């Protein structure tokens, strides 16, 4: 993987990201997952980026306090700048050896401050607190703190669970209030939909006339969702398409710069680096930009900075404009003449005729297109899915092909696919794949088993006209700078 626009530390993986933007630089604190056995304790690390393409590792930010400490594991939280000019980190402390009254590993909200520009942090154990009455002690995490200008106080949102009720619907975003960032008082729950096991990594922000509540859940799906309202107090509206991405992109939290909002999450790895491997916790950092529509709903797509790294068009690697695939009752495919590189960006514009059943893009395909990854648009079902051929088989007979599993079930994205012109963009970087339909619907995933191959465009039972099909590689670049603008300013001062 090239690491341009994505980030994974050497010998480790990126867990939940805690983004903070200041003076034009994004400081991205993240849970540094080594997957060591026995576990060494989870610290926060920090990377800094000015351009969302080059990520500069700044090492350990807040270390594990050791095997006997309440914060042996330091889990997700948030950063704010206090009125004293200090940065305040609120985070989750957890130690599997310390259990609460419900018998589960105790989770605590903990506090640290930095007076040197987030270079070093001082813990404040006296400010530590656990779940308030009525909530499970083993679910009290991911504190998100923000300043409420109207009420003139600080609000803290906390991932929590009611102590009683249906087990998979106890999830609640609890709330505490403070005026000094040290003493917190419990308040009425911020959001209590009685819908999910838990709503992880919550955040709330205002954008224009709308407020947005973002959270990650793993009840119905392992995904990041959002809600919208005219007020931070709700009621919260469920948009038609309420997810940021699919199963593989998780725990996304956002930061804004110059009126643009970016979401930082991680694309999960799979066990054994195999397409059939189980999804693992943590992976590679990936960034999506949100666009606000006139009705307040959000569209998502890769950043323009990532797209612009692919500035070398590979002539002759696409399919000719004006190519028509017309098969009223069958299947047709047009293949590219050469294989695509391991890292590329493909942009395809095409016109879908009314009544078309399916169409889409083949990735890393055999020359005849019979074996490949498949990004398939299904207009009648209103979805984009990832499929692959060959699928898994349960035996040697023809009927033992897993035809009853028509795609990677967890990699399905709802979207509107009306007759007419559409654009499908795919960015592949090693085993990472980020597909975007109409600059609005994103599907991120891993593609391990087929490291190379051709591209192709297909249609099933319908007609599609290719308007443009371009493939871009990355040009050779000079080495990235080793320090960010923020660090240069800090050094000068």
């Amino acid at each position: 993987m090239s690491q341009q626009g994505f980030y994974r530390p050497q010998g480790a993986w990126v867990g939940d990201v805690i983004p903070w933007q200041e003076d034009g630089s994004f400081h991205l604190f993240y849970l540094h997952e080594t997957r060591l056995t026995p576990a060494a304790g989870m610290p926060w690390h920090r990377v800094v980026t000015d351009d969302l393409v080059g990520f500069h590792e700044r090492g350990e930010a807040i270390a594990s306090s050791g095997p006997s400490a309440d914060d042996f594991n330091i889990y997700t939280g948030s950063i704010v700048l206090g009125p004293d000019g200090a940065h305040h980190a609120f985070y989750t402390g957890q130690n599997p050896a310390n259990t609460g009254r419900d018998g589960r590993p105790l989770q605590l909200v903990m506090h640290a401050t930095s007076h040197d520009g987030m270079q070093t942090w001082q813990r404040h154990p006296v400010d530590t607190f656990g779940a308030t009455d009525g909530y499970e002690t083993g679910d009290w995490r991911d504190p998100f703190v923000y300043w409420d200008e109207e009420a003139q106080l600080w609000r803290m949102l906390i991932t929590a669970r009611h102590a009683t009720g249906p087990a998979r619907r106890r999830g609640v975003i609890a709330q505490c209030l403070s005026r000094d960032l040290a003493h917190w008082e419990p308040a009425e729950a911020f959001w209590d939909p009685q819908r999910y096991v838990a709503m992880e990594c919550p955040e709330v922000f205002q954008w224009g006339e709308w407020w947005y509540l973002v959270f990650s859940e793993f009840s119905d799906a392992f995904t990041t969702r959002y809600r919208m309202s005219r007020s931070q107090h709700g009621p919260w509206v469920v948009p038609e398409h309420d997810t940021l991405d699919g199963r593989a992109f998780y725990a996304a939290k956002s930061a804004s710069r110059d009126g643009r909002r970016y979401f930082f999450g991680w694309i999960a790895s799979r066990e054994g680096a195999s397409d059939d491997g189980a999804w693992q916790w943590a992976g590679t950092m990936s960034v999506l930009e949100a666009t606000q529509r006139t009705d307040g709903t959000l569209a998502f797509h890769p950043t323009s900075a990532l797209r612009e790294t692919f500035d070398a068009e590979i002539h002759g690697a696409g399919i000719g404009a004006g190519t028509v695939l017309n098969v009223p009752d069958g299947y047709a495919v047009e293949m590219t003449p050469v294989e695509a590189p391991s890292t590329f960006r493909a942009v395809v514009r095409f016109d879908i005729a009314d009544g078309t059943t399916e169409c889409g893009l083949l990735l890393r395909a055999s020359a005849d297109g019979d074996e490949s990854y498949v990004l398939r648009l299904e207009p009648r079902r209103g979805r984009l899915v990832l499929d692959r051929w060959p699928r898994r088989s349960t035996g040697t007979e023809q009927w033992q092909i897993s035809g009853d599993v028509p795609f990677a079930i967890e990699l399905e994205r709802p979207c509107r696919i009306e007759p007419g012109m559409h654009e499908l963009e795919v960015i592949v970087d090693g085993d990472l794949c980020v597909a975007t339909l109409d600059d609005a619907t994103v599907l991120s995933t891993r593609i391990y088993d087929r490291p190379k191959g051709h591209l192709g465009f297909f249609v099933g039972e319908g007609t599609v006209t290719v308007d443009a099909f371009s493939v871009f590689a990355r040009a050779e670049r000079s080495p990235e700078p080793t320090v960010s603008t923020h660090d240069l300013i800090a050094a000068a001062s």
Side-chain angles (χ1 to χ4, degrees):
M1 195 190 80
S2 69
Q3 291 281 65
Q4 292 189 56
F6 302 98
Y7 177 75
R8 178 190 154 189
Q10 185 71 30
W13 288 262
V14 173
D16 303 351
V17 181
I18 299 95
W20 174 255
Q21 190 277 134
E22 187 171 318
D23 297 331
S25 294
F26 292 98
H27 300 259
L28 306 173
F29 298 86
Y30 68 92
L31 309 192
H32 188 263
E33 172 62 272
T34 61
R35 297 178 182 163
L36 293 176
T37 303
M42 178 77 71
W44 277 16
H45 277 221
R46 177 174 66 112
V47 293
V48 180
T49 181
D50 293 342
D51 59 8
L52 298 171
V53 172
F55 297 89
H56 311 293
E57 177 66 54
R58 294 293 172 259
E60 191 173 70
I62 304 179
S64 164
S65 289
S68 62
D70 286 333
D71 55 352
F72 173 64
N73 291 315
I74 296 178
Y75 292 148
T76 310
S78 58
I79 303 288
V80 297
L81 187 64
D84 56 354
H87 292 90
H88 295 250
F90 295 91
Y91 61 91
T92 308
Q94 189 255 20
N95 189 325
N98 300 336
T99 58
R101 60 180 178 270
D102 49 19
R104 298 181 59 230
L106 188 65
Q107 293 187 346
L108 302 167
V109 169
M110 308 187 82
H111 181 207
T113 55
S114 174
H115 294 269
D116 58 5
M118 299 177 286
Q119 302 302 311
T120 61
W121 295 88
Q122 177 186 358
R123 290 172 165 86
H124 301 283
V126 69
D127 296 343
T128 298
F129 66 98
T132 53
D133 290 343
Y135 295 119
E136 294 182 355
T137 65
D139 281 276
W140 189 254
R141 62 183 179 276
D142 306 344
F144 176 79
V145 175
Y146 73 101
W147 174 250
D148 183 340
E149 183 67 29
E150 180 182 356
Q152 289 292 293
L153 51 77
W154 296 94
R155 294 186 183 274
M156 177 187 289
L157 311 188
I158 304 171
T159 294
R161 276 171 54 84
H162 289 297
T164 59
R168 68 179 177 88
R169 298 203 303 273
R170 292 185 195 172
V172 58
I173 296 178
Q175 180 178 206
C176 291
L177 307 177
S178 175
R179 297 189 183 276
D180 61 4
L181 291 173
H183 304 89
W184 294 90
E185 297 295 332
E188 182 181 1
F190 189 85
W191 190 50
D192 187 7
Q194 302 180 41
R195 177 78 167 85
Y196 301 114
V197 171
M199 290 85 81
E200 296 193 301
C201 303
E203 70 164 331
V204 66
F205 59 87
Q206 187 176 16
W207 191 353
E209 297 180 354
W210 288 96
W211 285 83
Y212 296 90
L213 172 63
V214 181
F215 61 95
S216 295
E217 63 95 1
F218 46 84
S219 306
D220 302 333
F222 201 94
T223 192
T224 302
R225 301 184 185 274
Y226 79 96
R227 300 289 184 263
M228 45 195 290
S229 175
R230 294 292 189 178
S231 165
Q232 64 177 314
H233 306 296
W236 297 99
V237 176
V238 183
E240 180 183 8
H241 299 142
D242 70 332
T243 53
L244 278 62
D245 199 324
R247 165 63 176 86
F249 183 79
Y250 193 68
K253 296 181 73 172
S254 72
S256 65
R257 183 177 68 184
D258 300 329
R260 303 171 74 170
R261 184 158 290 270
Y262 303 93
F263 284 82
F264 302 84
W266 43 268
I267 300 177
S269 57
R270 283 185 180 270
E271 189 174 344
S274 166
D275 290 339
D276 290 327
W279 292 109
Q280 295 175 302
W281 187 87
T284 301
M285 186 189 300
S286 180
V287 189
L288 298 179
E289 182 176 357
T291 301
Q292 189 182 51
R293 301 185 181 98
T294 56
D295 65 356
T297 60
L298 301 180
F300 299 92
H301 55 79
T303 67
S304 56
L306 174 59
R307 289 166 165 170
E308 289 166 4
T309 65
F310 295 92
D311 52 5
E313 185 171 0
I314 307 175
H315 297 286
I319 294 172
T323 298
V324 179
L325 300 178
N326 179 28
V327 280
D329 60 351
Y331 176 91
V333 62
E334 185 78 14
M335 301 300 300
T336 60
V338 298
E339 291 188 351
S342 61
T343 297
F344 66 89
R345 175 177 178 248
V347 182
V348 188
R349 283 182 50 83
F350 49 96
D351 191 341
I352 303 177
D354 189 19
T356 297
T357 298
E358 63 181 34
C359 63
L361 192 65
L362 305 183
L363 302 176
R364 294 182 172 173
S366 56
D368 61 2
D370 197 46
E371 296 185 356
S372 71
Y373 297 105
V374 184
L375 285 166
R376 186 171 64 241
L377 299 172
E378 301 178 351
R380 296 180 182 180
R381 294 184 172 93
R383 66 188 182 189
L384 165 67
V385 303
L386 180 76
D387 200 353
R388 62 173 175 146
W389 283 97
R391 293 176 182 159
R392 280 189 288 184
S393 299
T394 57
T396 59
E397 304 301 323
Q398 290 179 346
W399 56 269
Q400 290 173 319
I401 296 173
S402 295
D404 55 341
V405 182
F407 58 92
I409 299 299
E410 67 273 19
L411 296 175
E412 173 185 6
R413 298 290 289 123
C415 51
R416 289 188 177 182
I417 311 173
E418 306 291 343
M421 196 68 70
H422 295 271
E423 181 176 281
L424 183 60
E425 172 196 42
V426 183
I427 293 174
V428 172
D429 193 344
D431 57 29
L432 299 174
C433 177
V434 180
T436 308
L437 177 65
D438 294 333
D439 218 30
T441 302
V442 181
L443 176 61
S444 301
T445 189
R446 298 276 182 172
I447 48 175
Y448 290 109
D449 295 351
R450 301 186 63 85
K452 62 181 182 178
H454 295 257
L455 297 172
F457 201 85
F458 73 93
V459 64
E461 298 157 355
T463 302
V464 172
T465 302
V466 176
D467 180 67
F469 194 127
S470 301
V471 183
F472 302 88
R474 285 185 169 131
E476 293 295 327
R477 299 178 186 277
S478 58
E480 293 287 340
T482 58
V483 295
S484 70
T485 300
H486 178 275
D487 291 325
L488 289 172
I489 294 172
S493 61

